[in-house]
Amino acid sequence: MTPLDPACGYSDGDVDTNDTTTPSLETLADNRFSRRQTIMGGAKATGMALMGTAMLAACDDDNTGSDAGIIVNAGTNAATSAGRVVTLTGTVVAGSASSTTWTQTDGPDVELTLDGTTATFLAPAVEEAIDLEFTFIATTSDGIERKAVTYVRVSPAVLGFTAVEHSLADTVVVPTGYSVTVMTRLGDPLTAATSAYANDGTDTDFANRIGDHADALHYFGLSAAGAPDDMANTRGLMVQNHENITEDYLHPAGPTTIGGARPLDEVRKEIECHGVSVAEYVDSGNRTWSYVQDSSFNRRITPNTPMTLSGPAAGSAWMTTAYSADGTGARGTINNCANGISAWHTNLTCEENWAGYFRRDSGDDANRTPAQLTSLQRYGVRSTSGNYRWSSASTTDTTITRWNATIMGADATEDFRNEPFQFGWVVEIDPYDPTSTPRKRTALGRFGHEGAFVRAVAGQPVGAYMGDDSRGEYLYKYVSNANWNAGDANNADRLAVGDKYLDHGTLYVARFNADGTGEWLPLVYGQVPPRPASGSYPEYTFADQADILINPRLAADALGATPMDRPEWTAGNPVTGEIYLTLTNSNNSNRPVDGTNAANPRSYWNSGNPNGHIVRLREDGDTTAARTFAWDIYMFGADTLDCDTAFEQTNINISDLDTSNDFSSPDGAYFSRESAVSGQFNPVFWIQTDDGAMTDVTNCMMLAAMPGTVGDGNAFTVTNTDGAQTTTQGTHVGALATPATLRRFLVGPVECEITGIDMTPDGRTLFVGIQHPGERGDAGNVTSHWPESQTNASATSRPRSAVVAITKDDGGVIAL
């Protein structure tokens, strides 16, 4: 950096100097510090620097004297932090200029947007404070050029918004200075021929409409030519899961039953509302977003969409059905919750609570083999009706009858006894090719998949980290046999790349040790002992690798993996490689005071762990192939208004939350993209909630955090009590929360869940899913009117799940 010229003069002569303290930006502005005092004195950023027209003389010898004819000024020096918009304002103090411009003359390159005498730029990501130099140039009609210089000190990124308060309003509430645009909503048409959504229960053809219950999402960039483009900020494909339905709002007066059977048209509508949607999004300028109804990329993937099974379990006898006699074909995907994104531009959608959709009649148990019966019971395929009673519809259409898994034929090719084994997988979808056939990747195991965070580092195996969303279940990791080759990122046959990395590898399950270390236990045939008999389960001996991958819960039981408090989303810090796992909550039957462990250490209010927590781990050697790791608990959820005793404040509000950042039941988790300023050096971590414990105080929410690293806290002993028994549990706690490191960014509308999050590559538009607003209402008692209520306080419509686009009014990076 070129030193500032100490001979540079002042125009007003009113400058204060403080040799012992570093002044704030506000003080600098008030006192008009010189460039030398600002930069050399080490001024730190405390807000966005807006370059004004203060009369600071230019540091240019040619800019003085009567023969110059023109005097220019580049404005005062200032300080800011990464990700904020800075405006430079030049002034022609004396004389006249035929043209003016700005140029950057030192520091990390930024993109200047010129407009007359002003220029704006986005402060770049920096690891430590650094100075940028800019020159204002004015040219006379005679070609005489005069220059003035100003400096901007850019400090590392910090959270730059005022925390949103608790809210029970029927709107999406964001910080001052941010705006919300509602994007694709339940029922929005995805073809030119599909009619607008009436939202009165009469709509049909959901195979060509946005589905219900907006869940995990991802923005896949599109170039102008329609090719994958990781850096496209104004055009992309929004791929979104549709986890479930709010059944009452889909029909004119709610669901009906006639003679004990569901009407076929109602059932078809409900089935088609599940699955995945692909919709093209475009920015028409200055982050003004809309979706393209007639885009050739638009697509619905429903429970009826043809798919293939791939990997070690494909072709297994467990997979044989009347639809696929050889066990390699499948139909559709359901209860899609979180997701994963591959390094080769595909979407991994995850089948979560699929088990409840199947019906098994009361006599079915007696006809099952012991192995199948154990599997069905362990995975919860026990209902005698199935969610929404779809199989009761009178039809021979196998897209409907397959939801009845009762044994009825002579063998598995004559019925759908094995249909439940075709669900619970990670499904890979190529969003750029609407004609492609999705693949169910059986090497990643079958369970209640919440998500699949993919980590691909050149020269290392591809890793996928996956939670099994049920109380007392496990954290899994898949490791590919092949090391990641970055050249595969541009392979046009994206699903073939998936074959390479996702069909051949090893599945592991995590054991968290009390000393803050952990182990990955391989789920490999020959290395997994029989699962011992326990409770109602007999001993289970695995037949082959396909058996293990179809039943990894049983294999994890056998290996002694650590039962967790509802393992949900996984997310990876793009800088450190650390993996974060949200543990949404547990109850007293699954986490009593005498049933805690170091990674799940709380049990209180005779309710288990109702507020949840977030665990993070770092692989030994920072490699996906590691068999061991270090871990701690990054953050504990807590309702601070209910922690009003010293005991509760110490043993429940362990992370020292306050009303600006308290939360309950963490679910969604996401790190800002590494291409954005907010994803570099110390990336912003986003936490979304699916809460039932704090809803008397606030709707579900999303928080922004600047996390540290594993081991930045201390060992801690939790005291748990249920009133009758008191126990203690040792654990490892990360650094406490502060308003600088954790703030509430958003609160959703009534009875919603905040889930699904991604951003444009520049971090200047944030997409968030709002799921099932008004879920406790029905057609006769509508309890939310969102998204219409977002802009109309008198709204009367039925609620709709939707995606929103959030932008900063000044065009800066979200959260900074």
Side-chain angles (χ1 to χ4, degrees):
M1 183 78 194
T2 302
L4 299 179
D5 182 0
C8 179
Y10 307 100
S11 61
D12 57 17
D14 183 16
V15 177
D16 295 329
T17 301
N18 186 329
D19 294 331
T20 59
T21 61
T22 300
S24 69
L25 177 58
E26 291 78 7
T27 303
L28 292 176
D30 290 342
N31 295 328
R32 298 181 182 177
F33 267 49
S34 72
R35 285 192 290 271
R36 180 176 180 81
Q37 289 164 318
T38 302
I39 305 298
M40 304 304 287
K44 301 295 183 183
T46 62
M48 190 188 86
L50 189 64
M51 305 300 146
T53 56
M55 299 299 290
L56 176 65
C59 287
D60 192 315
D61 292 340
D62 291 338
N63 202 24
T64 60
S66 59
D67 61 338
I70 182 172
I71 299 176
V72 296
N73 177 270
T76 58
N77 302 307
T80 189
S81 58
R84 300 186 184 181
V85 174
V86 178
T87 301
L88 306 170
T89 302
T91 306
V92 178
V93 179
S96 61
S98 59
S99 65
T100 60
T101 192
W102 281 93
T103 186
Q104 183 180 0
T105 44
D106 202 358
D109 289 343
V110 299
E111 182 178 348
L112 290 175
T113 300
L114 305 175
D115 184 11
T117 59
T118 67
T120 59
F121 68 91
L122 191 69
V126 295
E127 190 170 11
E128 58 185 12
I130 195 167
D131 304 322
L132 281 62
E133 179 183 274
F134 300 92
T135 301
F136 177 62
I137 306 170
T139 305
T140 69
S141 58
D142 296 331
I144 298 174
E145 191 176 84
R146 292 292 180 263
K147 302 177 181 179
V149 176
T150 193
Y151 295 84
V152 178
R153 167 155 287 193
V154 180
S155 293
V158 294
L159 297 178
F161 62 92
T162 300
V164 171
E165 296 180 352
H166 294 158
S167 172
L168 294 170
D170 198 23
T171 59
V172 174
V173 182
V174 293
T176 301
Y178 287 81
S179 295
V180 175
T181 300
V182 178
M183 299 295 293
T184 41
R185 304 158 294 178
L186 162 67
D188 278 348
L190 289 172
T191 72
T194 307
S195 62
Y197 192 58
N199 196 25
D200 60 5
T202 63
D203 299 282
T204 59
D205 190 22
F206 276 88
N208 290 302
R209 297 184 184 277
I210 295 291
D212 205 354
H213 282 212
D215 210 292
L217 53 83
H218 188 79
Y219 170 90
F220 288 86
L222 271 175
S223 70
D229 184 352
D230 281 342
M231 298 306 294
N233 292 303
T234 60
R235 184 187 182 199
L237 301 177
M238 182 56 64
V239 181
Q240 178 185 8
N241 288 344
H242 302 294
E243 180 184 10
N244 207 332
I245 58 174
T246 304
E247 188 183 28
D248 287 277
Y249 295 134
L250 290 177
H251 311 294
T256 60
T257 301
I258 301 172
R262 292 290 313 283
L264 184 58
D265 58 343
E266 289 186 5
V267 168
R268 284 184 172 142
K269 179 190 296 190
E270 293 173 10
I271 291 173
E272 289 177 350
C273 275
H274 289 73
V276 179
S277 66
V278 182
E280 182 176 343
Y281 279 21
V282 294
D283 169 15
S284 59
N286 295 319
R287 290 159 292 283
T288 303
W289 288 94
S290 61
Y291 90 101
V292 182
Q293 178 178 338
D294 60 351
S295 170
S296 61
F297 289 101
N298 290 353
R299 183 183 188 186
R300 275 304 316 281
I301 296 167
T302 75
N304 298 328
T305 302
M307 300 186 174
T308 59
L309 293 160
S310 65
S316 165
W318 291 75
M319 298 299 191
T320 299
T321 68
Y323 175 76
S324 178
D326 66 357
T328 62
R331 278 183 296 188
T333 185
I334 201 164
N335 207 261
N336 304 82
C337 201
N339 62 351
I341 309 305
S342 77
W344 49 96
H345 312 298
T346 60
N347 185 79
L348 304 179
T349 186
C350 298
E351 299 173 337
E352 188 196 25
N353 293 317
W354 48 271
Y357 289 85
F358 292 98
R359 161 187 164 190
R360 286 203 306 123
D361 294 342
S362 58
D364 189 59
D365 282 6
N367 296 321
R368 295 283 179 172
T369 65
Q372 282 207 345
L373 183 58
T374 298
S375 174
L376 291 166
Q377 291 177 338
R378 181 67 176 82
Y379 280 79
V381 186
R382 300 167 176 160
S383 174
T384 57
S385 61
N387 295 351
Y388 312 116
R389 302 181 64 239
W390 289 342
S391 66
S392 71
S394 179
T395 181
T396 58
D397 183 348
T398 60
T399 64
I400 310 297
T401 61
R402 67 181 174 136
W403 300 105
N404 185 351
T406 304
I407 293 177
M408 294 181 286
D411 59 42
T413 65
E414 295 185 2
D415 57 28
F416 291 97
R417 68 185 73 180
N418 288 340
E419 192 74 4
F421 306 117
Q422 294 215 343
F423 289 87
W425 303 104
V426 172
V427 184
E428 185 174 21
I429 298 168
D430 182 351
Y432 295 103
D433 183 2
T435 67
S436 60
T437 301
R439 290 174 174 52
K440 295 199 172 190
R441 300 295 186 185
T442 66
L444 276 64
R446 172 179 164 270
F447 41 89
H449 279 280
E450 178 70 21
F453 172 75
V454 175
R455 185 173 182 226
V457 178
Q460 293 185 20
V462 171
Y465 297 81
M466 303 167 287
D468 183 356
D469 183 11
S470 191
R471 295 184 179 104
E473 294 301 341
Y474 307 114
L475 171 66
Y476 296 86
K477 175 177 75 167
Y478 166 84
V479 178
S480 67
N481 289 345
N483 288 340
W484 171 239
N485 179 351
D488 286 335
N490 300 315
N491 190 322
D493 192 345
R494 287 170 283 274
L495 292 177
V497 178
D499 294 341
K500 174 181 177 180
Y501 293 106
L502 300 182
D503 282 348
H504 309 282
T506 302
L507 184 66
Y508 298 87
V509 67
R511 176 189 290 152
F512 291 82
N513 299 322
D515 63 357
T517 65
E519 305 166 64
W520 292 110
L521 311 174
L523 300 176
V524 175
Y525 181 66
Q527 299 181 41
V528 179
R531 183 192 187 277
S534 64
S536 61
Y537 297 116
E539 181 178 275
Y540 190 96
T541 300
F542 299 93
D544 52 27
Q545 186 62 27
D547 188 351
I548 287 176
L549 294 173
I550 292 167
N551 297 294
R553 285 182 176 176
L554 293 169
D557 294 344
L559 288 171
T562 303
M564 308 293 281
D565 289 349
R566 283 190 65 192
E568 297 221 33
W569 285 47
T570 48
N573 186 318
V575 173
T576 68
E578 293 176 346
I579 304 299
Y580 286 63
L581 169 68
T582 55
L583 297 162
T584 296
N585 54 46
S586 194
N587 56 26
N588 199 50
S589 61
N590 283 275
R591 192 64 68 196
V593 295
D594 60 354
T596 60
N597 57 57
N600 304 268
R602 289 189 306 177
S603 182
Y604 50 98
W605 294 335
N606 207 26
S607 300
N609 178 23
N611 297 129
H613 58 288
I614 302 171
V615 167
R616 62 185 170 186
L617 63 88
R618 187 159 190 165
E619 300 277 29
D620 289 346
D622 291 330
T623 173
T624 53
R627 294 286 296 272
T628 54
F629 57 87
W631 67 269
D632 67 8
I633 296 179
Y634 162 64
M635 198 68 61
F636 290 88
D639 180 350
T640 60
L641 297 177
D642 272 349
C643 293
D644 49 10
T645 69
F647 177 86
E648 291 170 328
Q649 184 62 28
T650 299
N651 295 286
I652 297 176
N653 189 16
I654 297 170
S655 296
D656 200 27
L657 307 179
D658 59 34
T659 55
S660 73
N661 57 20
D662 59 354
F663 66 93
S664 176
S665 297
D667 188 342
Y670 172 83
F671 275 93
S672 291
R673 290 195 183 207
E674 56 187 319
S675 56
V677 173
S678 54
Q680 301 174 43
F681 299 115
N682 187 16
V684 175
F685 178 54
W686 299 88
I687 304 166
Q688 300 178 313
T689 70
D690 179 16
D691 182 34
M694 283 180 65
T695 49
D696 59 328
V697 175
T698 182
N699 300 333
C700 284
M701 64 184 71
M702 185 170 75
L703 303 94
M706 303 286 279
T709 58
V710 171
D712 61 12
N714 298 287
F716 185 80
T717 299
V718 184
T719 300
N720 295 305
T721 183
D722 59 7
Q725 182 180 11
T726 298
T727 62
T728 59
Q729 175 65 63
T731 189
H732 305 273
V733 177
L736 301 183
T738 71
T741 60
L742 180 67
R743 298 180 195 175
R744 187 177 303 107
F745 179 83
L746 174 153
V747 179
V750 171
E751 297 170 8
C752 80
E753 172 187 348
I754 305 299
T755 184
I757 177 172
D758 195 19
M759 59 179 53
T760 49
D762 61 8
R764 298 167 92 166
T765 298
L766 185 71
F767 300 105
V768 177
I770 308 298
Q771 185 181 132
H772 60 63
E775 68 167 337
R776 299 187 187 96
D778 56 42
N781 177 34
V782 178
T783 53
S784 168
H785 305 292
W786 194 86
E788 184 183 355
S789 59
Q790 188 69 30
T791 55
N792 178 12
S794 302
T796 60
S797 63
R798 295 182 180 194
R800 300 162 72 179
S801 294
V803 175
V804 296
I806 301 170
T807 54
K808 199 172 181 181
D809 296 344
D810 67 4
V813 174
I814 305 298
L816 303 185

